[in-house]
């Protein structure tokens, strides 16, 4: 008898699954919304304060609540239908976008009286939402595709995310130039609503029961997730490597300052610079979609993180716009490998009923390190100066790679993931 529904195959196999397509379009929409928001908020706050540290505080305002709720959010993602969590948190992000839009409609209101403080308050609330959203979406995706398509789904997910990260900042700059802040925040609201629509279209998936955890309390269940990560040297090493690389090596938060002070440019260049890492990342992800990494995964991961650090040093030293764009593009290419390898490791090595908790640890290590890294960049720029702080961060990233290569033998020896 002929199978009427053959298993998906090819470089875009996961996209042949309807629910996965809806998931991708939902992620694409919310990523565009968040990229537009981040680009415009960074420019807006710097215009209000003229202080590099204020840009770092944006990241801190988001990271603190996200870290605070991460472990509990991971536990929730393992006991409650993940779609419900996603719908609720994106609705909260919609409220935050609407609040930022409201501020622009009140030119003599809160921002005139309190400066950037109301913006920080909204970012704090969005941090709470993203703290719950991250483990829910991370663990929801593998419920939509068969296990043999995990790597394909992760690579495609990364490709679309990076594509949105390319378009988002440039779209934000274009809308800002034509329609100012109000137009940018209207686009943010519209895209968030679009994401909600696509998530609503995906049928609910129940969370697989864990019979050996039925008698455990919340603390015990969270501890189980933590123990899984800290006892698995490969997963822990990959997370730690990315954590410190992003913490010290990320200069994205300082791009508005580099745009104005070093490259003597405006919002149109800001959008290009913020998009540059994602251009490199999406090109790399597209290549890996057609040519998956099949051997020497550990060594390639280490070399790519080292390359990322070297790019940050070069960016800090550059005073040429085209060289700066090229270095940021290359940094995104190196970072893309790390994202794909880490995602594949976690999804492949983690039991289904623990993916919420393990992805919460991943979120604490990686997702929040972006925001804390933004604060570290702003603080270091205030303390050491703009250019020295970026060079220092790149050097620290290289040091982390060196230490990891000496201490994490299992990661170095990792050949492939099955």
């Amino acid at each position: 008898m002929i199978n009427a529904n053959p298993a998906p195959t090819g470089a875009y196999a996961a996209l042949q699954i309807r629910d996965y397509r809806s998931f991708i379009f939902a992620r694409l929409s919310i990523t565009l919304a968040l990229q537009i928001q981040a680009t415009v908020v960074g420019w807006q706050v710097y215009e209000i304060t003229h202080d590099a540290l204020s840009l770092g505080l944006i990241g801190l305002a988001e990271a603190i609540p996200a870290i605070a709720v991460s472990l509990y959010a991971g536990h929730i993602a393992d006991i409650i239908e993940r779609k419900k969590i996603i719908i609720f948190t994106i609705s909260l992000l919609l409220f935050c976008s609407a609040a930022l839009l409201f501020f622009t409609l009140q030119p003599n209101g809160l921002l005139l009286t309190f400066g950037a403080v109301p913006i920080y308050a909204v970012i704090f609330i969005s941090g709470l939402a993203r703290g719950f959203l991250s483990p829910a979406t991370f663990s929801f995706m593998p419920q939509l595709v068969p296990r043999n398509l995990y790597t394909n789904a992760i690579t495609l997910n990364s490709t679309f995310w990076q594509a949105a990260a390319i378009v988002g900042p440039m779209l934000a700059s274009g809308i800002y130039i034509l329609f100012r802040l109000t137009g940018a925040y209207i686009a943010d609201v519209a895209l968030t609503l679009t994401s909600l629509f696509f998530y609503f279209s995906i049928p609910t998936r129940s969370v697989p029961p864990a019979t050996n955890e039925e008698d455990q309390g919340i603390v015990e269940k969270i501890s189980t997730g933590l123990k899984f990560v800290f006892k698995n040297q490969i997963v822990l090493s990959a997370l730690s490597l990315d954590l410190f690389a992003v913490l010290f090596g990320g200069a994205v938060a300082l791009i508005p300052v580099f745009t104005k002070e070093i490259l003597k440019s405006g919002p149109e260049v800001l959008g290009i610079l913020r998009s540059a890492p994602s251009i490199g990342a999406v090109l790399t992800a597209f290549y890996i979609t057609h040519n998956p990494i099949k051997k020497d995964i550990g060594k390639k991961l280490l070399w790519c993180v080292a390359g990322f650090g070297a790019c940050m040093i070069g960016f800090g030293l550059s005073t040429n716009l085209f060289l700066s764009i090229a270095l940021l593009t290359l940094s995104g290419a190196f970072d893309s490998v790390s994202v794909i390898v880490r995602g594949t490791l976690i999804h492949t090595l983690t039991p289904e009923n623990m993916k919420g908790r393990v992805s919460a640890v991943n979120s604490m290590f990686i997702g929040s390190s972006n925001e804390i890294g933004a604060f570290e960049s702003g603080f270091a720029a205030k303390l050491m100066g703009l250019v020295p702080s970026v060079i220092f961060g790149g050097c620290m990233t290289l040091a982390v790679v060196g230490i990891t290569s000496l201490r994490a033998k299992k990661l170095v020896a990792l050949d492939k993931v099955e």
Side-chain angles (χ1 to χ4, degrees):
M1 181 176 179
I2 298 174
N3 185 1
N5 297 295
T9 58
Y12 304 98
L15 286 176
Q16 297 177 42
I17 301 172
R18 177 192 171 280
D19 291 344
Y20 179 78
R21 286 200 304 272
S22 295
F23 174 85
I24 283 295
F25 288 134
R27 285 268 291 164
L28 182 68
S29 300
I30 194 63
T31 303
L32 280 172
L34 292 173
Q35 288 291 329
I36 290 173
Q37 184 183 115
T39 302
V40 176
V41 163
W43 189 263
Q44 184 182 16
V45 168
Y46 191 65
E47 285 284 291
I48 293 171
T49 64
H50 302 285
D51 181 16
L53 181 59
S54 66
L55 297 176
L57 291 174
I58 296 173
L60 193 64
E62 186 168 21
I64 288 175
I67 292 173
V69 303
S70 284
L71 292 177
Y72 180 69
H75 162 68
I76 292 297
D78 283 338
I79 63 173
I80 294 178
E81 292 172 358
R82 289 151 184 171
K83 177 184 170 180
K84 291 181 179 179
I85 302 172
I86 292 170
I87 295 297
F88 176 79
T89 52
I90 291 184
S91 297
L92 190 55
L93 289 174
L94 178 62
F95 166 79
C96 292
S97 300
L100 292 171
L101 173 60
F102 173 76
F103 294 158
T104 69
L105 301 175
Q106 300 289 321
N108 298 316
L110 291 173
L111 298 187
L112 186 64
T113 305
F114 299 103
V117 173
I119 297 176
Y120 290 134
V122 171
I123 298 301
F124 184 90
I125 295 171
S126 71
L128 284 172
R130 294 177 73 172
F132 281 91
L133 179 63
S134 182
T137 54
F138 191 91
S139 51
F140 187 51
M141 188 197 74
Q143 291 188 290
L144 307 178
V145 297
R147 183 182 177 86
N148 67 303
L149 292 182
Y150 279 2
T151 300
N152 182 254
I154 292 164
T155 305
L156 288 169
N157 185 42
S158 177
T159 303
F160 277 87
W161 188 94
Q162 296 293 355
I166 294 170
V167 175
M170 292 193 288
L171 184 60
S173 294
I175 295 173
Y176 180 85
I177 291 169
L178 293 173
F179 304 106
R180 311 305 295 169
L181 285 171
T182 300
Y185 287 130
I186 288 174
D188 178 16
V189 170
L191 285 163
T192 305
L193 280 169
T194 302
S195 180
L196 269 177
F197 168 79
F198 280 115
Y199 274 124
F200 268 119
S201 72
I202 303 173
T204 298
R205 259 63 169 193
S206 60
V207 179
T211 55
N212 60 331
E213 295 183 347
E214 288 179 352
D215 296 328
Q216 292 183 350
I218 294 177
V219 175
E220 289 81 6
K221 287 183 178 180
I222 292 175
S223 297
T224 301
L226 286 169
K227 288 176 183 177
F228 175 86
V229 172
F230 283 95
K231 286 183 178 180
N232 191 309
Q233 189 190 98
I234 292 176
V235 173
L236 180 61
S237 299
L239 290 177
S240 300
L241 182 66
D242 231 25
L243 166 67
F244 290 106
V246 173
L247 182 63
F248 291 114
V252 174
L254 298 177
I255 285 179
V257 190
F258 271 90
T259 302
K260 262 197 165 184
E261 309 299 335
I262 304 297
L263 302 174
K264 309 298 181 184
S265 301
E268 68 284 351
V269 170
L270 171 65
I272 296 171
L273 289 172
R274 280 194 62 105
S275 296
S278 294
I279 293 174
V282 76
L283 290 174
T284 302
F286 180 79
Y287 175 82
I288 294 175
T289 299
H290 293 270
N291 303 275
I293 302 173
K294 295 181 178 179
K295 63 179 183 177
D296 296 326
I297 289 178
K299 292 184 178 68
K300 289 175 181 176
L301 175 62
L302 288 164
W303 276 111
C304 286
V305 176
F308 175 82
C311 288
M312 290 299 100
I313 294 172
F315 175 74
L317 293 170
S318 174
T319 57
N320 179 274
L321 173 60
F322 297 104
L323 178 58
S324 296
I325 292 172
L327 288 166
L328 287 174
T329 303
L330 192 57
S331 75
F334 286 129
D335 186 53
S336 181
V337 176
S338 176
V339 170
I340 292 169
V341 170
R342 188 181 69 251
T344 302
L345 286 173
I346 294 174
H347 280 307
T348 304
L349 300 178
T350 306
E352 182 63 39
N353 64 289
M354 290 179 60
K355 283 183 178 174
R357 283 163 287 172
V358 173
S359 64
V361 178
N362 174 66
S363 178
M364 290 180 66
F365 271 67
I366 310 305
S368 296
S369 68
N370 285 287
E371 286 74 38
I372 295 178
F375 174 72
E376 183 276 334
S377 296
F379 181 76
K382 187 82 171 178
L383 190 66
M384 304 167 61
L386 182 63
V387 172
S389 68
V390 176
I391 296 172
F392 168 77
C395 290
M396 288 298 293
T397 300
L398 294 178
V400 168
V401 172
I403 294 170
T404 303
S405 64
L406 293 173
R407 299 293 298 272
K409 299 299 183 183
K410 288 185 178 180
L411 180 63
V412 175
L414 182 63
D415 184 50
K416 60 183 178 179
V417 181
E418 296 177 339

